[in-house]
Amino acid sequence: MKIIWILVLVACFNGVCLNGVTTNETTRPPFVNIGALLAYDSTIGKVAKVALQAAVDDVNSDPSVLGGTKLRLLMQNSNNSGFLGIIESLKFMETDTVAIVGPQSSVTAHVISFVANELQVPLLSYSSTDPTLASLQFPYFIMTSRNDLYQMAAIAEIVEYYGWREVIAIYGDDDYGRNGIASLSDKLAQRRCKISYKAPLPPTATRDDITDLLVKVALTESRILVVHTFSSWGPAVFSVAQHLGMMAPGYVWIATNWLSTHLETNSPLPSDTMDDFQGVLTLRMYTPDSELKRKFISRWSNLTSGTTGYGPNPIGLSTYGLYAYDTVWLLARAINAFLDQGGNISFPGNSRLANLRGEHLHLDAMNIFNGGKMLREKILQVNMTGVTGQLKFNPDGNLINPAYEVINVIGSGIRKIGYWSNYSGLSVVPPEKLYSSPPNRSSSSQKLYSAIWPGQTVQTPRGWVFPNNGRQLRIGVPNRASYRDFVSQVPGTDMFTGYCIDVFTDAINLLPYAIPYKLIPYGDGTNNPSGTELVRLITAGVYDAAIGDIAIITNRTRMADFTQPYIESGLVVVAPVKKKNSGAWSFLKPFTRQMWGVTVLFFIVVGAVVWILEHRLNDEFRGPPRRQMITILWFSFSTWFSTHRENTISTLGRFVLIIWLFVVLIINSSYTASLTSILTVQQLTSPIKGIDSLISSKDPIGYQQGSFTRDYLINELGIQKSRLISLKMPEDYAKALKDGPRNGGVAAVVDERAYIELFLSTRCEFSIVGQEFTKNGWGFAFPRDSPLAVDMSTAILRLSENGDLQRIHDKWLIRSACSRQGAKLEVDRLDLRSFWGLYLICGIACLLALLTHFLMTVRQYIRHYSPELDSSGQRSTSARLQTFLSFVDEKEQEVKNRSNRRKLEMASNHSSKRRHIESPPDASNEA
């Protein structure tokens, strides 16, 4: 038996030796190895080194955190070298390290993440914020600070807030710089902004490299510069910019959080160094105020005693230091949960690496961490409050509630001008105060305090200038064959004249800056060029802008941005007209046949209604049938002139008459006005009444060559192509209209009002028929999101307000009035649609009056005639009806008198009978 126990103990001992350190559910290891990879001498590294060691000491001094287990921190110095960072990271994999805090560099993190995936060792980085590291490709890389994706979103919202549209990106040409700027480009595109120029610098850029790059940047158009780099050579960018005069008014510099980190860590900086940053905007990861944070800040001076930052200055605490401190605590909480759940810290060999055993590369020494997957899950499940606030991961693996402070560098320090949070955007209120209310992303809720910009100016820079590269703005101008009053090229020169050219010249002279430009003709001068094709050439890069008689229509606005319209010019129909003389029956023209018919009918109806209402009361409405018919007709039509001699007695009759006289007043006034216009104003007539009658006909239609009118008529109005005839010159218009559709001409021409008004100024035999059926205007076209379009629109509005736009119009487009200028097309006849409401009111009044009169008559009939019928025994329907009609025809006063007499007779008879009954009997009878 003793031999058996000895063999069991030997087997257990060998198992422990072969498999390394093991744990079970009842025992915990005394130490857990964690690694930290950072650059000791870097701006972030020298702060993080102190913070990491302080966090490990605090965790180990509190037995309740890990239940007696202590953290053993192994630090490696990458010396700001990507290669050395990779080598040092691999060393951790040989020492049974359960997790690595770091690496500090995003470039190194990309490489090490592949190793971490293979060995299942979590990487917790507080400074590697490359957005692509948070992808599904690297499940074991955990970002314990803010993802740069949110920082780029904050910058994009700042750009949009100030109304800028294009930025220049200056960045280090490595994974960190490229991926960060790619995220910025995506966020800007969501707000219709863009990066107009990317200016990469090598990771080890020299001052000469920076100078050469900034010289190129100074020649570009945008003045919004975003610097996304490291604090190692980031300050050199601003130093060179100061030397080149690029920190002057008009420039906007936005630095990512490397600048705030540099200022916090090395503060106070020398005054000449701070001068390079004046007016710059930068971001800082937001950490809410708390008791834990204040206590740690108060300890910082003791923790950094004996260490220095910039020169003799002590190391300042940056937000990266706070996140580094919290990273250790987060990892400790996760390890404790891992051990509580029976996690096993073991590192068996990797069979694939064992096959790579070589003479010098001991790859077989790197082992897989069996509990790595479980520890990773526990890390992502941590929900704690640290010195940076609440630490909790969302389903995407990023910390919740990302927020930044927006900082303005002023004088010898910094000034906070607001906050940005992914919850509510830009605000001047700390983000945690907004989390309790619904998110508000409206433009009115986005606020920042005023900033002081480079050059000590408080006025928000415009954000762009014309590039100082000697290149002129290439502006396309249509070289027209017709209507050259609008735009035309002076023969033998590069000069242009015309209404559109004068508007452009006056507007550009109002801009607060000079614009070098060159007008380039588009078209051969013998045919009218297509405005749509001219605008398309802007998107193709052939022209930088286009001016002239360019209509603002839907498909063109998809290709370019237009200025405010400087002239209104919708589509109209022009057709031949002829003078229409007044005839013997002109007095009937104001009303249509339907209107005349309804009016006459109502005259008769109203007369009949009034007769019915007055017949039983008014002697003037009684008499023989022939007289009564004449009375009805006379009374009805005499109300037109208010000459009726009959007086109305009944209340209902007066009510109907008042309503009818109001209707007659309106009709009479309308008739008089229309007839006056017909008889006094020269009338023109045309078989074409407008676009509707033109569409319904099958006649040919003319349009101007090169105009958008053809596409509009085909695509929008459905007119067949075979009906459309292209016309070039105004003379072609006149000839085609005179010939007419029967002689190879056209029935009408559809064109823009501006052209037609000029065409009609000397051609009185034609006129615009119908209404303008589109609403559009002319404007100048610029590339999409061009700031020049906005400034030119403002200049055009100023021309309109000061009267210069009208002056230019009068100079070029006013002609001597046509002899038929005061003539009008045939006046539209008044129809029933304009008066049916009046007739409806009158009809309802008549019906109500008749109904009331009928009920009153029936009541009187029942009251006065029913007893007589009952006494006489007339109970048949025909007899009753005949009696009722006789009653209706009878004058009301006679009915009342007869009723009174009957009552007296009945009373007298009743009295006689009573006396007869009460008288004494005769004497003879008594005997």
Side-chain angles (χ1 to χ4, degrees):
M1 179 63 73
K2 291 182 179 179
I3 296 174
I4 294 175
W5 280 110
I6 291 173
L7 292 175
V8 170
L9 291 175
V10 170
C12 292
F13 177 78
N14 289 337
V16 171
C17 294
L18 292 174
N19 295 323
V21 180
T22 62
T23 63
N24 54 46
E25 297 179 358
T26 59
T27 62
R28 284 175 175 250
F31 294 97
V32 175
N33 293 332
I34 62 172
L37 181 64
L38 61 159
Y40 292 170
D41 295 332
S42 66
T43 301
I44 296 176
K46 55 190 174 185
V47 176
K49 181 181 179 183
V50 177
L52 291 173
Q53 189 60 59
V56 171
D57 294 342
D58 291 345
V59 169
N60 291 337
S61 64
D62 187 353
S64 64
V65 178
L66 286 173
T69 300
K70 295 185 180 295
L71 296 179
R72 180 182 293 163
L73 177 64
L74 307 175
M75 290 192 187
Q76 296 289 353
N77 184 10
S78 65
N79 291 310
N80 292 308
S81 169
F83 175 74
L84 293 179
I86 295 172
I87 298 301
E88 297 297 340
S89 298
L90 294 177
K91 290 182 179 180
F92 285 127
M93 308 300 181
E94 301 176 0
T95 58
D96 296 346
T97 302
V98 299
I100 298 175
V101 179
Q104 181 179 312
S105 166
S106 295
V107 177
T108 305
H110 273 280
V111 178
I112 299 303
S113 293
F114 288 102
V115 181
N117 289 349
E118 180 69 24
L119 302 181
Q120 300 181 12
V121 176
L123 302 177
L124 294 85
S125 181
Y126 54 86
S127 59
S128 298
T129 53
D130 181 349
T132 61
L133 289 170
S135 64
L136 299 176
Q137 184 182 9
F138 306 118
Y140 284 89
F141 180 88
I142 301 170
M143 203 175 294
T144 58
S145 65
R146 299 304 179 187
N147 192 326
D148 270 349
L149 182 69
Y150 300 113
Q151 181 172 207
M152 298 309 170
I155 293 175
E157 291 201 32
I158 292 173
V159 170
E160 182 187 37
Y161 173 77
Y162 287 110
W164 302 319
R165 285 291 174 263
E166 297 183 1
V167 304
I168 295 174
I170 302 174
Y171 59 97
D173 194 11
D174 56 14
D175 290 340
Y176 171 71
R178 287 190 299 270
N179 295 332
I181 294 303
S183 297
L184 175 61
S185 180
D186 293 340
K187 294 300 181 181
L188 288 171
Q190 294 175 5
R191 291 161 177 80
R192 286 198 65 185
C193 304
K194 66 177 182 179
I195 298 176
S196 60
Y197 183 72
K198 292 183 179 180
L201 281 166
T204 57
T206 64
R207 190 175 181 88
D208 290 339
D209 295 332
I210 297 172
T211 302
D212 294 339
L213 183 72
L214 291 186
V215 169
K216 296 178 182 178
V217 168
L219 298 177
T220 59
E221 178 179 309
S222 177
R223 286 293 180 263
I224 313 299
L225 298 98
V226 177
V227 183
H228 179 56
T229 181
F230 304 103
S231 57
S232 57
W233 54 266
V237 173
F238 289 95
S239 176
V240 174
Q242 184 77 269
H243 177 71
L244 296 177
M246 296 176 68
M247 300 300 294
Y251 280 91
V252 176
W253 290 84
I254 303 175
T256 50
N257 62 343
W258 67 265
L259 179 56
S260 61
T261 303
H262 179 72
L263 296 176
E264 288 177 320
T265 306
N266 302 312
S267 181
L269 292 171
S271 59
D272 56 343
T273 303
M274 288 299 297
D275 289 342
D276 296 337
F277 303 129
Q278 294 301 302
V280 177
L281 295 185
T282 185
L283 299 177
R284 178 171 62 190
M285 289 183 287
Y286 175 69
T287 55
D289 188 33
S290 64
E291 184 66 23
L292 286 174
K293 180 180 176 181
R294 288 193 294 269
K295 287 182 179 179
F296 186 72
I297 293 175
S298 65
R299 293 173 52 197
W300 186 252
S301 58
N302 295 329
L303 294 174
T304 56
S305 60
T307 60
T308 58
Y310 190 88
N313 299 325
I315 298 175
L317 176 60
S318 67
T319 52
Y320 282 113
L322 297 176
Y323 277 102
Y325 181 83
D326 274 352
T327 298
V328 174
W329 274 94
L330 184 148
L331 179 58
R333 301 287 186 190
I335 292 174
N336 183 60
F338 171 80
L339 295 176
D340 284 346
Q341 197 168 332
N344 182 22
I345 301 179
S346 62
F347 295 86
N350 189 330
S351 60
R352 289 188 292 181
L353 292 177
N355 295 330
L356 299 176
R357 180 181 301 159
E359 185 176 352
H360 300 291
L361 293 175
H362 302 287
L363 298 178
D364 56 314
M366 294 186 292
N367 301 320
I368 295 176
F369 176 27
N370 276 344
K373 183 177 181 180
M374 180 188 225
L375 178 60
R376 171 184 170 272
E377 292 175 354
K378 296 303 178 184
I379 292 173
L380 295 177
Q381 292 172 3
V382 169
N383 184 4
M384 59 169 279
T385 300
V387 295
T388 60
Q390 185 181 12
L391 293 176
K392 181 181 179 181
F393 293 95
N394 61 23
D396 295 331
N398 293 309
L399 292 177
I400 64 172
N401 299 330
Y404 287 85
E405 295 172 282
V406 184
I407 293 172
N408 189 200
V409 182
I410 298 296
S412 59
I414 59 177
R415 172 174 168 262
K416 189 189 306 177
I417 64 172
Y419 305 87
W420 176 90
S421 68
N422 194 46
Y423 184 77
S424 57
L426 298 172
S427 69
V428 294
V429 180
E432 66 269 16
K433 294 184 179 181
L434 301 174
Y435 294 147
S436 59
S437 58
N440 186 359
R441 286 289 190 146
S442 63
S443 57
S444 60
S445 67
Q446 304 299 296
K447 295 180 181 178
L448 291 175
Y449 291 120
S450 60
I452 299 178
W453 307 100
Q456 300 298 313
T457 177
V458 295
Q459 183 178 2
T460 303
R462 188 172 67 248
W464 67 280
V465 296
F466 272 92
N468 187 20
N469 54 13
R471 180 179 175 272
Q472 293 179 317
L473 205 65
R474 294 170 53 87
I475 301 178
V477 183
N479 190 12
R480 296 188 55 85
S482 62
Y483 296 110
R484 297 174 64 85
D485 298 87
F486 292 105
V487 57
S488 64
Q489 184 177 12
V490 178
T493 69
D494 293 334
M495 299 176 59
F496 287 81
T497 61
Y499 169 74
C500 302
I501 302 300
D502 280 6
V503 173
F504 173 76
T505 303
D506 284 18
I508 211 167
N509 289 336
L510 291 177
L511 299 181
Y513 46 85
I515 298 179
Y517 66 90
K518 181 181 181 181
L519 301 181
I520 302 173
Y522 171 69
D524 54 13
T526 59
N527 295 288
N528 293 327
S530 169
T532 302
E533 181 63 19
L534 176 58
V535 173
R536 190 195 65 79
L537 292 177
I538 296 177
T539 63
V542 177
Y543 299 119
D544 300 311
I547 66 172
D549 50 341
I550 304 174
I552 305 173
I553 57 177
T554 304
N555 64 333
R556 294 177 185 174
T557 58
R558 297 190 184 104
M559 296 184 286
D561 283 349
F562 283 84
T563 62
Q564 172 81 14
Y566 57 87
I567 186 174
E568 298 297 328
S569 184
L571 290 179
V572 295
V573 178
V574 61
V577 294
K578 61 181 179 179
K579 182 179 178 180
K580 186 174 184 180
N581 297 320
S582 301
W585 301 98
S586 296
F587 67 92
L588 296 176
K589 291 182 179 178
F591 290 165
T592 61
R593 292 182 180 179
Q594 185 184 27
M595 180 66 181
W596 276 119
V598 173
T599 302
V600 171
L601 177 62
F602 260 83
F603 270 109
I604 298 174
V605 169
V606 171
V609 170
V610 173
W611 177 83
I612 293 172
L613 299 175
E614 294 288 326
H615 179 66
R616 302 186 68 241
L617 299 174
N618 196 338
D619 290 334
E620 295 181 354
F621 289 86
R622 298 183 63 81
R626 182 171 178 273
R627 178 186 173 188
Q628 293 185 46
M629 289 297 299
I630 295 174
T631 300
I632 292 174
L633 296 176
W634 165 255
F635 180 83
S636 299
F637 290 101
S638 63
T639 55
W640 180 282
F641 311 101
S642 299
T643 59
H644 54 281
R645 64 176 183 270
E646 294 80 7
N647 294 321
T648 53
I649 297 176
S650 68
T651 302
L652 293 175
R654 290 175 178 179
F655 168 71
V656 171
L657 186 59
I658 289 174
I659 299 296
W660 175 243
L661 289 177
F662 174 74
V663 174
V664 168
L665 175 64
I666 301 299
I667 295 175
N668 193 18
S669 301
S670 302
Y671 175 84
T672 304
S674 180
L675 182 61
T676 301
S677 177
I678 291 173
L679 297 178
T680 59
V681 179
Q682 184 179 0
Q683 300 295 309
L684 302 176
T685 182
S686 172
I688 302 298
K689 305 302 180 182
I691 187 62
D692 293 331
S693 62
L694 191 60
I695 294 174
S696 60
S697 71
K698 301 300 181 181
D699 296 331
I701 303 172
Y703 68 92
Q704 184 184 164
Q705 180 191 54
S707 171
F708 73 93
T709 306
R710 180 180 184 275
D711 292 335
Y712 182 86
L713 294 176
I714 295 173
N715 299 328
E716 301 297 331
L717 301 184
I719 296 177
Q720 296 178 356
K721 297 179 182 179
S722 58
R723 294 180 58 193
L724 302 180
I725 298 177
S726 175
L727 304 172
K728 183 193 303 184
M729 306 296 292
E731 293 77 12
D732 298 336
Y733 285 25
K735 184 178 184 302
L737 290 171
K738 288 179 181 179
D739 292 343
R742 296 182 180 180
N743 299 316
V746 297
V749 171
V750 178
D751 205 351
E752 296 178 73
R753 178 177 286 275
Y755 300 122
I756 295 302
E757 288 180 348
L758 197 61
F759 170 75
L760 295 178
S761 63
T762 57
R763 296 174 176 85
C764 301
E765 64 272 27
F766 311 110
S767 179
I768 295 175
V769 294
Q771 301 296 320
E772 184 176 326
F773 58 93
T774 65
K775 296 292 183 181
N776 56 305
W778 293 354
F780 304 136
F782 293 89
R784 295 298 298 270
D785 301 321
S786 171
L788 187 56
V790 178
D791 289 352
M792 285 294 288
S793 293
T794 304
I796 290 172
L797 289 175
R798 289 180 59 188
L799 289 177
S800 177
E801 292 170 356
N802 61 26
D804 287 344
L805 199 60
Q806 185 62 42
R807 176 186 55 80
I808 299 172
H809 179 275
D810 296 343
K811 171 185 174 183
W812 288 98
L813 305 181
I814 293 298
R815 297 288 186 272
S816 59
C818 177
S819 60
R820 292 183 179 176
Q821 190 70 24
K824 293 184 178 179
L825 283 174
E826 184 177 4
V827 177
D828 291 335
R829 306 176 73 180
L830 301 175
D831 57 15
L832 187 60
R833 289 178 300 178
S834 303
F835 300 96
W836 71 269
L838 289 174
Y839 287 124
L840 178 63
I841 294 173
C842 184
I844 293 174
C846 291
L847 289 175
L848 290 176
L850 288 175
L851 179 61
T852 304
H853 176 73
F854 176 75
L855 294 176
M856 293 173 62
T857 303
V858 171
R859 179 174 174 270
Q860 290 179 359
Y861 172 75
I862 295 173
R863 180 179 177 184
H864 296 292
Y865 265 69
S866 291
E868 296 182 8
L869 294 175
D870 294 338
S871 61
S872 62
Q874 295 180 6
R875 298 180 178 275
S876 65
T877 302
S878 60
R880 286 179 177 272
L881 179 60
Q882 185 177 0
T883 304
F884 177 75
L885 293 177
S886 299
F887 174 77
V888 170
D889 186 58
E890 191 174 5
K891 192 173 181 179
E892 184 176 336
Q893 189 61 40
E894 295 177 358
V895 174
K896 291 181 178 179
N897 292 337
R898 185 173 61 253
S899 177
N900 292 333
R901 287 196 303 270
R902 186 172 64 251
K903 290 180 180 178
L904 291 174
E905 292 176 357
M906 292 175 64
S908 177
N909 294 334
H910 179 72
S911 177
S912 299
K913 290 179 179 180
R914 185 175 181 182
R915 285 196 304 269
H916 177 74
I917 295 173
E918 292 178 353
S919 63
D922 294 341
S924 58
N925 293 336
E926 291 178 358

